[in-house]
Amino acid sequence: MVEFFSSLSPLVQTIIATLFTWGMTALGATLVFTTKNVNQKLMDGMLGFAGGVMIAASFWSLLSPALSMAESGPIPAWIPAAIGFMLGGIFLWSADNVLPHLNPNMPPAEAEGVNPQKRKRSTLLVLAITMHNIPEGLAVGVAFGSVATGNPEASIAGAVALAIGMGIQNFPEGTAVAMPLRRDGMSRAKSFYYGQLSGAVEPIAAIVGVLAVTVMEPLLPYALSFAAGAMIFVVAEEVIPGSQENGNKDLASMWLMIGFTIMMILDVALG
């Protein structure tokens, strides 16, 4: 797989990688064709797993390379990492307060953003996961873009590992959008459509990421840290609380540990 990706242009690499992550979102949404309900413990475990993958990816695939890349710069390495990380969190916090959205398993009255009551439940759910997928797509694009710059701290294997990790954790996100809609009486086909639609933003965000860092290489440490900060905000604000709100705290926490461990292994073994 790594050899195959190495023979392609960075843009094509990014598109293929994020089509995979989008496909995993769609795969999660296909569960609506088999049932109206997924066991709540299973859902909470999958969300915890997704959180662990995102936390591990934020450090091993993004922050750590950003710090290494910045060491050769004129300023202390922690400055670009700290600035990018905080900007990523602020960006997602701003979007969270502006974009109308409804997180899975929440009642419509708890929808957030500007005038959410004017939107359909299906739209609010898709917008919630779409917002979460922006930093994931951006992270994949920046990872492949960093390889294209020839930076010794970046590797095609590490970028592939990141894409695999993001794809794995996208599975429960597709399910989390599609299942509530199916329970509300929406048809299987429409529930699937809205479930997979939430992943469509990843290729777009990834293309923006890869083009930005290949054109403006000095921004690479900031871009990697930005993606990490945005993902950590999503995990802290939505993924972990969502996995524990039904009383399955220990289960979700253990699956978060498993997700972190698997992503760490993927990144270190392949990167």
Side-chain angles (χ1 to χ4, degrees), residues 27-271:
L27 188 61
T30 60
L31 293 184
V32 296
F33 291 108
T34 62
T35 181
K36 277 189 176 182
N37 294 286
V38 173
N39 182 278
Q40 191 60 53
K41 287 186 176 181
L42 176 61
M43 277 300 303
D44 291 344
M46 287 196 299
L47 281 175
F49 180 88
V53 169
M54 293 173 74
I55 293 171
S58 295
F59 177 74
W60 296 101
S61 299
L62 300 170
L63 270 179
S64 181
L67 287 165
S68 298
M69 292 173 187
E71 286 178 353
S72 59
I75 58 177
W78 59 265
I79 293 180
I83 291 174
F85 186 81
M86 290 305 301
L87 286 177
I90 291 169
F91 171 77
L92 258 292
W93 172 78
S94 301
D96 196 59
N97 283 277
V98 174
L99 190 69
H101 64 283
L102 176 65
N103 295 305
N105 299 322
M106 282 189 173
E110 296 185 20
E112 301 174 315
V114 178
N115 296 324
Q117 65 276 6
K118 295 183 179 180
R119 306 279 183 171
K120 293 181 179 179
R121 175 175 167 84
S122 57
T123 302
L124 292 172
L125 284 168
V126 171
L127 286 174
I129 303 300
T130 297
M131 182 171 62
H132 297 174
N133 283 343
I134 290 174
E136 297 166 17
L138 184 64
V140 174
V142 170
F144 281 104
S146 64
V147 177
T149 64
N151 195 297
E153 301 298 332
S155 71
I156 191 68
V160 170
L162 177 61
I164 292 172
M166 291 299 96
I168 291 171
Q169 67 89 38
N170 273 359
F171 183 90
E173 292 187 349
T175 306
V177 174
M179 280 300 172
L181 299 178
R182 179 62 183 144
R183 286 196 298 268
D184 288 348
M186 186 175 285
S187 69
R188 289 183 175 89
K190 278 192 172 181
S191 299
F192 167 76
Y193 171 75
Y194 285 114
Q196 63 81 32
L197 187 62
S198 62
V201 71
E202 288 202 13
I204 299 170
I207 290 171
V208 171
V210 70
L211 292 178
V213 298
T214 51
V215 172
M216 297 174 285
E217 185 178 346
L219 292 179
L220 190 50
Y222 296 92
L224 287 165
S225 303
F226 180 94
M231 282 209 290
I232 290 296
F233 180 88
V234 169
V235 173
E237 209 266 342
E238 303 292 353
V239 178
I240 292 178
S243 70
Q244 299 186 351
E245 64 186 9
N246 296 293
N248 298 312
K249 293 184 177 181
D250 290 344
L251 175 71
S253 297
M254 286 308 303
W255 275 102
L256 184 145
M257 299 288 291
I258 293 170
F260 184 98
T261 301
I262 289 176
M263 185 63 217
M264 178 181 66
I265 292 171
L266 273 175
D267 193 87
V268 175
L270 295 180

